[in-house]
């Protein structure tokens, strides 16, 4: 099972919107509405932002939104803020109870 | 406070063994599947293993099968990962995570991780 493909880096100015893509295959992203997104500030615990493609985790700002089209899922951050600077990972159910998860390659978001 | 705290990482020689621990607090540990995820240097995240609430089901990444063993002690609110025959490619930060299983498939609580370095 190959890792899901994300852009290595995305940047934007405060207040702008950015979108991070997550491309998989018909075996994972394309076949299940089971994509989750995680924010990771290095040295801290990763944090769930979005699950099941577009559902917000408790307490997460609605500036974050998720969507999916075909084999590609996307995370959009609106009204970019300095604290959004972090690494972001997507993850999809991979179709098997014995190998359930495939992660994305990760995207570094920089707030200019 | 709801949290997971990993420990037990360190420097180990190739072929050596190590046991990681994850202490859970603030929630009913025995109600959840639990998972280990690792992040290799310069690379992304990789699911390693998971275990059912009562320990009756365990699943592993192919590359660690036969070398790693996941276990839990619900009385101690603790998750473990016994790693043996360690290889350089096992060098990573290891995170434990609480898993939403059966139809949801995501991780809603993570620890800060513990670093494992396999080197001579």
């Amino acid at each position: 099972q190959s890792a899901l493909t994300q852009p290595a880096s995305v940047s934007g100015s405060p207040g702008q919107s950015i979108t991070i893509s997550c491309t998989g295959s018909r075996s994972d992203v394309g076949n299940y509405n089971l994509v989750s997104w995680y924010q990771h500030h290095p040295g801290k615990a990763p944090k769930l932002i979005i699950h099941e493609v577009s559902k917000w985790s408790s307490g997460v700002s609605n500036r974050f939104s998720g969507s999916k089209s075909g084999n590609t899922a996307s995370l959009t951050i609106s009204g970019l803020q300095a604290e959004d600077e972090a690494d972001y990972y997507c993850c999809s159910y991979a179709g098997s109870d014995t190998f359930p998860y495939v992660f994305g390659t990760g995207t570094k978001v920089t707030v200019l | 406070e709801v949290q997971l705290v990993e420990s037990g990482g360190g420097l180990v020689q190739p072929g050596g063994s190590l046991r990681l621990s994850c202490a859970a607090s603030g929630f009913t540990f025995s109600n959840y599947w639990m998972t280990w995820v690792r992040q290799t240097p310069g690379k992304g995240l990789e699911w390693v293993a998971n275990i059912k609430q009562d320990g009756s089901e365990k699943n592993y990444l192919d590359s660690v099968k036969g070398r790693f063993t996941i276990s839990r002690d619900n009385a101690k609110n603790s998750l473990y990962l016994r790693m043996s025959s360690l290889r350089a490619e096992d060098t990573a930060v290891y995170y434990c995570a609480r898993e939403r299983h059966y139809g949801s498939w995501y991780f809603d609580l993570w620890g800060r991780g513990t670093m494992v370095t396999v080197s001579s």
Side-chain angles (χ1 to χ4, degrees):
Chain A
Q1 190 77 313
S2 300
L4 308 177
T5 301
Q6 298 180 233
S9 63
V10 173
S11 61
S13 299
Q16 285 187 330
S17 294
I18 61 169
T19 296
I20 303 168
S21 61
C22 169
T23 300
S25 69
R26 285 180 296 178
S27 299
D28 38 61
V29 175
N31 200 31
Y32 306 98
N33 290 323
L34 295 170
V35 176
S36 51
W37 289 90
Y38 303 88
Q39 178 190 61
H40 187 209
H41 291 99
K44 295 192 174 182
K47 176 185 176 183
L48 173 69
I49 302 174
I50 296 284
H51 61 93
E52 295 165 87
V53 175
S54 59
K55 297 179 181 180
W56 286 289
S57 178
S58 177
V60 169
S61 168
N62 58 9
R63 296 186 300 105
F64 294 89
S65 62
S67 62
K68 192 189 87 167
S69 178
N71 296 337
T72 298
S74 299
L75 175 71
T76 297
I77 309 175
S78 305
L80 199 61
Q81 298 180 2
E83 61 262 32
D84 300 332
E85 185 162 300
D87 297 321
Y88 291 82
Y89 294 91
C90 62
C91 180
S92 176
Y93 177 62
S96 166
D97 283 6
T98 55
F99 183 75
Y101 300 102
V102 58
F103 281 94
T105 49
T107 298
K108 169 67 177 177
V109 168
T110 301
V111 181
L112 302 171
Chain B
E1 182 184 0
V2 177
Q3 64 176 355
L4 298 169
V5 180
E6 302 93 336
S7 61
L11 174 64
V12 61
Q13 292 188 337
S17 298
L18 209 56
R19 189 180 85 152
L20 307 183
S21 299
C22 171
S25 58
F27 64 98
T28 305
F29 179 72
S30 59
N31 284 354
Y32 295 90
W33 279 76
M34 296 296 295
T35 277
W36 287 98
V37 173
R38 68 185 179 186
Q39 181 175 27
T40 52
K43 294 187 179 181
L45 299 171
E46 182 176 52
W47 173 82
V48 174
N50 66 0
I51 185 168
K52 192 176 180 179
Q53 290 94 328
D54 62 0
S56 62
E57 291 183 38
K58 304 174 185 180
N59 301 296
Y60 298 92
L61 181 67
D62 280 349
S63 62
V64 308
K65 279 180 185 175
R67 301 188 300 121
F68 289 12
T69 302
I70 189 171
S71 62
R72 64 192 296 162
D73 185 335
N74 288 340
K76 294 183 178 180
N77 293 328
S78 293
L79 176 72
Y80 305 102
L81 187 67
R82 173 70 177 175
M83 304 184 295
S84 59
S85 302
L86 281 162
R87 306 166 180 167
E89 54 264 36
D90 296 317
T91 295
V93 177
Y94 285 76
Y95 299 94
C96 69
R98 188 174 73 180
E99 181 179 332
R100 294 291 187 163
H101 205 80
Y102 296 131
S104 298
W105 304 99
Y106 60 90
F107 311 105
D108 66 348
L109 180 67
W110 297 66
R112 288 180 175 240
T114 187
M115 182 71 205
V116 172
T117 303
V118 183
S119 175
S120 55

